[in-house]
Amino acid sequence: MRIDVYSAPDCQQCRATKLMLEREGLEYNEIDVTKDAEAQKHCTAMGYSSLPVVVAGERNWSGFRFDLIKGLKAQR
């Protein structure tokens, strides 16, 4: 399953999300919305106004979600 993390450099929740994904052994693609205007528009189009935005297969969410990250590991 592909996991995309839309983030920004100074975002604490983004750092926590990426760290948790790494600790759980889940590979992800990081997309910096401060450098990619289309990525920022994509997040807004999905209805999100805060970071990180995580897209994992059919699921997506915003913010640091310990429970959903654990769920991704269980799906693997």
Side-chain angles (χ1 to χ4, degrees):
M1 165 188 352
R2 179 183 171 103
I3 302 172
D4 291 326
V5 178
Y6 295 85
S7 66
D10 294 327
C11 170
Q12 293 298 326
Q13 288 192 32
C14 299
R15 285 187 198 136
T17 296
K18 294 182 289 185
L19 182 61
M20 176 89 182
L21 287 166
E22 290 166 10
R23 286 184 178 164
E24 295 299 320
L26 297 166
E27 293 184 24
Y28 63 91
N29 305 302
E30 182 178 6
I31 302 147
D32 184 344
V33 299
T34 66
K35 296 180 181 177
D36 187 338
E38 288 302 313
Q40 185 174 16
K41 288 178 187 176
H42 179 65
C43 292
T44 303
M46 288 190 292
Y48 296 116
S49 59
S50 62
L51 295 173
V53 172
V54 179
V55 178
E58 299 293 319
R59 301 185 81 180
N60 58 74
W61 68 83
S62 177
F64 175 67
R65 293 291 308 269
F66 177 87
D67 57 329
L68 296 178
I69 294 171
K70 285 287 194 182
L72 291 177
K73 185 175 181 183
Q75 287 179 8
R76 200 173 72 167

